[in-house]
Amino acid sequence: MTSAMVNIKLSAVCVIFAVAPALIALSTKHLAPTVQWTPTVPFVTLSDGRRLAYEIRGNPNSKHSAIYIHGTPSCRLEFLGLSQGILDSVGLRLVGVDKPGYGQSDPHYGRSLRSFVADLEQLADHLKLQRFLLIGVSGGGPYSWATARYAPHRVQGMLILSGAGNLGILDAHERAKFDAQVSGVHRRIANFFHSTYSTPLKSLLSYMFETKIGGRQLYSTVLKPLMRDPTRFMADPDKDCLQQGHQEYTSRVVPEALRQESATPWVQDLGLFSGDWGFSVSDIEPHVKPTIHLWHGTGDRQVSEVMTVAFKRLVPQATLHIINGGAHFQYFVCNLKQQKEALTALIQTST
């Protein structure tokens, strides 16, 4: 599918729903999709009755625990990209969590960045984690920032890898570089959501797609074709990385991420990234800022490194690592030296 086709399909789906009130009326109930949950996947039942699925990797007696927040679209299994040997050597246990609507976590209609922080706190309570480290990758970045803002008393340190953000924080030069560097599909999607979720159209789009029918329609017309071969939109170093022993991304992570066959969580993520976050990252508590580590590659075709540079500008106390030639995830997943360096630094500066 070409980037032009994606743009056309996004617009067409919006028009279809806008002129089909009968179809919208049928989908007004926020119904959870019918999914066959895997009994062996642990979950916590949240205060509103939703289930939040998670998995744990590493020695339960490890000195440090990190909650891993996956990208968009993805799932808890994304943390399989980290080396077990390195986790053991640095003494780190990982808790991978499915964001609402992905994998085996129930959808959460009308969710926000802040509501997910409340979910994470309940998960941490369930696991008896008074405080924890955060690892946010790509689309997990905004949720990590939100956790540092709204639950600073629980965050020991934060590592954000190739983090997504709001285009509104970029200056003119950064925005031009973003548009020039990011692949056509990702650029068009980012610009579409940024231009619509900063207008009254946000409410209409949220209403249409935060429903069972709306989410399924957009999944079949846009998201499923896009994710049929996600490597099409990757930089060559990322493609090579997957072939170097990380085929589980396409064989396990993506199918699990999309098991609910709904685009609702994807739209929610992109809408939340593009809309008003409700806070500025510069407002994060002073004691948290020096524990933040930001990593990004200059060859990333999904999220330009200028986004991470902009975050550094807003939080100058954070430590910035720009990897020349690094792609979206290859510089961390397939470069074990840098993976260990990043995790070691996260632990050493934790509070």
Side-chain angles (χ1 to χ4, degrees):
M1 181 185 296
T2 65
S3 58
M5 289 173 64
V6 171
N7 199 40
I8 291 171
K9 285 200 171 188
L10 282 169
S11 302
V13 170
C14 291
V15 171
I16 289 171
F17 277 98
V19 299
L23 182 57
I24 295 176
L26 287 173
S27 63
T28 54
K29 288 189 176 181
H30 289 165
L31 301 174
T34 302
V35 176
Q36 185 65 45
W37 306 119
T38 304
T40 55
V41 174
F43 66 91
V44 57
T45 301
L46 303 173
S47 58
D48 61 2
R50 288 181 295 113
R51 53 180 285 160
L52 191 73
Y54 67 92
E55 288 200 27
I56 296 177
R57 284 186 66 201
N59 189 328
N61 298 317
S62 294
K63 185 177 180 180
H64 306 281
S65 294
I67 295 180
Y68 184 104
I69 307 176
H70 64 75
T72 300
S74 192
C75 70
R76 68 193 184 282
L77 298 180
E78 186 182 284
F79 71 1
L80 294 173
L82 277 72
S83 162
Q84 186 62 57
I86 290 178
L87 294 177
D88 291 340
S89 70
V90 300
L92 182 63
R93 179 178 70 152
L94 290 182
V95 180
V97 58
D98 282 336
K99 289 184 290 187
Y102 291 107
Q104 306 200 32
S105 285
D106 288 332
H108 185 190
Y109 300 102
R111 67 181 170 94
S112 64
L113 294 176
R114 189 165 191 170
S115 71
F116 183 71
V117 177
D119 291 351
L120 275 195
E121 289 202 83
Q122 291 180 69
L123 172 62
D125 291 342
H126 173 73
L127 297 174
K128 296 181 171 52
L129 295 176
Q130 186 62 34
R131 304 184 70 222
F132 48 82
L133 299 164
L134 283 170
I135 299 177
V137 179
S138 189
Y143 295 97
S144 300
W145 286 112
T147 306
R149 171 64 180 86
Y150 294 120
H153 57 292
R154 306 200 71 162
V155 176
Q156 295 177 294
M158 185 166 75
L159 170 63
I160 297 183
L161 303 160
S162 306
N166 190 314
L167 293 180
I169 72 171
L170 303 181
D171 61 29
H173 173 73
E174 291 166 342
R175 181 61 185 272
K177 187 172 182 181
F178 179 95
D179 287 339
Q181 179 177 331
V182 176
S183 70
V185 169
H186 289 94
R187 182 179 66 253
R188 288 175 181 272
I189 290 175
N191 287 330
F192 173 82
F193 277 89
H194 180 68
S195 62
T196 54
Y197 271 69
S198 57
T199 71
L201 188 58
K202 170 185 175 180
S203 297
L204 175 61
L205 292 176
S206 297
Y207 176 78
M208 289 190 300
F209 297 127
E210 291 202 20
T211 58
K212 186 173 182 179
I213 291 178
R216 289 287 179 85
Q217 177 68 19
L218 192 62
Y219 172 78
S220 62
T221 57
V222 176
L223 186 56
K224 185 178 180 180
L226 279 176
M227 297 304 292
R228 187 171 291 124
D229 179 14
T231 63
R232 289 179 297 167
F233 313 113
M234 294 180 182
D236 288 340
D238 283 337
K239 295 178 184 178
D240 294 340
C241 178
L242 292 184
Q243 295 302 315
Q244 295 171 20
H246 293 281
Q247 293 90 345
E248 72 274 354
Y249 176 75
T250 52
S251 64
R252 293 185 62 191
V253 178
V254 171
E256 177 68 5
L258 304 179
R259 71 152 49 220
Q260 300 188 41
E261 297 184 347
S262 172
T264 293
W266 179 63
V267 171
Q268 287 177 315
D269 274 354
L270 297 177
L272 290 174
F273 304 165
S274 303
D276 181 5
W277 285 18
F279 68 93
S280 169
V281 297
S282 61
D283 296 333
I284 289 172
E285 292 287 337
H287 76 273
V288 176
K289 291 178 179 178
T291 72
I292 297 173
H293 295 262
L294 308 174
W295 288 66
H296 217 125
T298 60
D300 192 339
R301 298 187 64 233
Q302 294 164 257
V303 182
S304 172
E305 82 277 2
V306 297
M307 188 65 70
T308 292
V309 171
F311 280 126
K312 167 66 175 177
R313 172 164 44 81
L314 295 171
V315 186
Q317 299 88 340
T319 302
L320 177 65
H321 304 263
I322 296 297
I323 309 302
N324 289 328
H328 192 55
F329 56 82
Q330 151 272 336
Y331 66 87
F332 181 78
V333 172
C334 281
N335 188 320
L336 298 185
K337 180 180 178 181
Q338 285 179 172
Q339 184 179 135
K340 186 172 184 178
E341 177 187 346
L343 294 178
T344 300
L346 171 66
I347 291 170
Q348 287 179 341
T349 59
S350 63
T351 58

